[in-house]
Amino acid sequence: MEVIICSSYEELSRAVAGVVADIVRAKPDAVLGLATGSTPLGLYKELIRMHKEDGLDFSKVTTFNLDEYVGLQPDHEQSYHYFMRENLFKHINVDPANTNVPSGTAENYDEYCQQYEQQIKDCGGIDVQVLGIGGDGHIAFNEPCSSLASRTRIKTLTEQTIDDNARFFDKKEDVPIFSITMGVGTILEAKKLLLLANGANKADAVAAAIEGPVSAMCTASALQLHPHGMIFIDAEAAGKLKMREYYEWIQTQKPTAPAS
Ligand code: PGA
């Protein structure tokens, strides 16, 4: 894992956008795994800027989102379909037919989840997966105790996640209890993982993910199993890391390190 501590949320967003943009430039038909939540908003703003000002071309890109609330129609303002349209897709030249967000209104979820997994495989797998992290250490909606081998499926949200996400709804009772989410096993198959976190409220989860044991109790710790995981955090989110100085030292030494 590479831990990159950024001086601000803006720097973090620019750094992650730079990694995504390099992948899209090197492989114009790249498959991007995308996330929702407040954390990737700065990344999406920067990608939109790069599209508008630098001509970053998304016309051949395919996208797969991590998750969706069960029961919300795609035009519901808190659905992740709506989020992605408003915060990224409608501002860049991605073909809407190539954007995939799990359905929150499928008739048969067993079949639908298998189909979603198959679609990812048919596209050759995800080249780079963007991830946030929940206060309870979840990635996507893989709440504590999710199998680290799990696949796309229905997951019941924890009380903490419902509380965390209540800020986006009129009232807590409106937050859906169920989600459809890629599994940890699905996520680990992406060729590169970029986990983003900012703010002191993520510091415990970030420390558990990076320095704790690999555990289903903190599904973000599964990144320790991935050969190409990058974790971008701001100073506040880095606040509880024991080896912080070492991670910073690695970054300062990087230009002189032997090529790998
Ligand atoms: P946030 O959510 O970006 O809104 O903090 C992250 C998550 O729950 O995965």
Side-chain angles (χ1 to χ4, degrees):
M1 283 188 303
E2 191 177 352
V3 180
I4 298 120
I5 302 170
C6 303
S7 60
S8 66
Y9 175 66
E10 289 69 31
E11 188 196 317
L12 178 157
S13 302
R14 276 196 301 273
V16 181
V19 176
V20 174
D22 283 348
I23 291 171
V24 171
R25 285 193 200 99
K27 186 180 176 194
D29 61 347
V31 180
L32 307 182
L34 300 176
T36 50
S38 43
T39 313
L41 282 172
L43 159 67
Y44 296 153
K45 279 207 181 89
E46 181 60 12
L47 289 177
I48 293 165
R49 189 201 65 73
M50 290 170 127
H51 168 64
K52 295 202 161 131
E53 293 176 16
D54 309 336
L56 186 62
D57 181 14
F58 293 90
S59 62
K60 296 195 179 72
V61 158
T62 298
T63 70
F64 286 93
N65 263 79
L66 289 167
D67 47 14
E68 177 59 288
Y69 289 114
V70 166
L72 298 193
Q73 298 290 336
D75 57 356
H76 187 290
E77 284 190 16
Q78 294 310 327
S79 76
Y80 290 166
H81 282 77
Y82 186 91
F83 177 102
M84 291 309 300
R85 251 191 337 268
E86 291 301 310
N87 292 302
L88 183 64
F89 297 153
K90 76 177 193 187
H91 305 286
I92 59 175
N93 65 336
V94 66
D95 180 347
N98 293 338
T99 65
N100 301 281
V101 180
S103 171
T105 54
E107 287 200 353
N108 179 331
Y109 274 104
D110 279 349
E111 266 178 27
Y112 180 81
C113 290
Q114 281 181 34
Q115 205 181 303
Y116 199 69
E117 293 266 339
Q118 192 57 48
Q119 272 178 285
I120 295 173
K121 283 200 182 81
D122 291 347
C123 289
I126 291 171
D127 290 299
V128 60
Q129 176 67 58
V130 174
L131 298 164
I133 181 170
D136 61 5
H138 68 214
I139 44 173
F141 273 132
N142 292 288
E143 299 287 33
C145 224
S146 290
S147 161
L148 301 184
S150 51
R151 312 301 305 187
T152 302
R153 69 208 185 290
I154 298 289
K155 195 69 201 164
T156 310
L157 304 187
T158 60
E159 185 91 22
Q160 183 180 348
T161 299
I162 291 171
D163 285 344
D164 286 350
N165 292 0
R167 67 189 194 277
F168 299 116
F169 291 80
D170 289 339
K171 49 187 191 308
K172 182 178 165 183
E173 293 68 41
D174 292 343
V175 184
I177 291 169
F178 299 105
S179 64
I180 172 170
T181 180
M182 277 189 208
V184 181
T186 321
I187 292 168
L188 288 177
E189 282 174 9
K191 292 169 192 118
K192 196 178 194 71
L193 300 180
L194 308 176
L195 186 141
L196 293 51
N198 66 300
N201 60 331
K202 297 292 174 68
D204 284 317
V206 164
I210 298 173
E211 297 179 340
V214 175
S215 164
M217 291 308 288
C218 171
T219 53
S221 67
L223 264 77
Q224 296 176 33
L225 300 170
H226 196 281
H228 303 293
M230 298 177 84
I231 302 185
F232 294 83
I233 48 181
D234 70 355
E236 286 75 29
K240 301 256 171 97
L241 289 172
K242 292 196 182 72
M243 298 286 285
R244 177 179 177 163
E245 283 178 19
Y246 176 56
Y247 310 136
E248 288 172 336
W249 165 249
I250 292 174
Q251 292 305 314
T252 61
Q253 297 307 308
K254 218 176 157 185
T256 59
S260 57

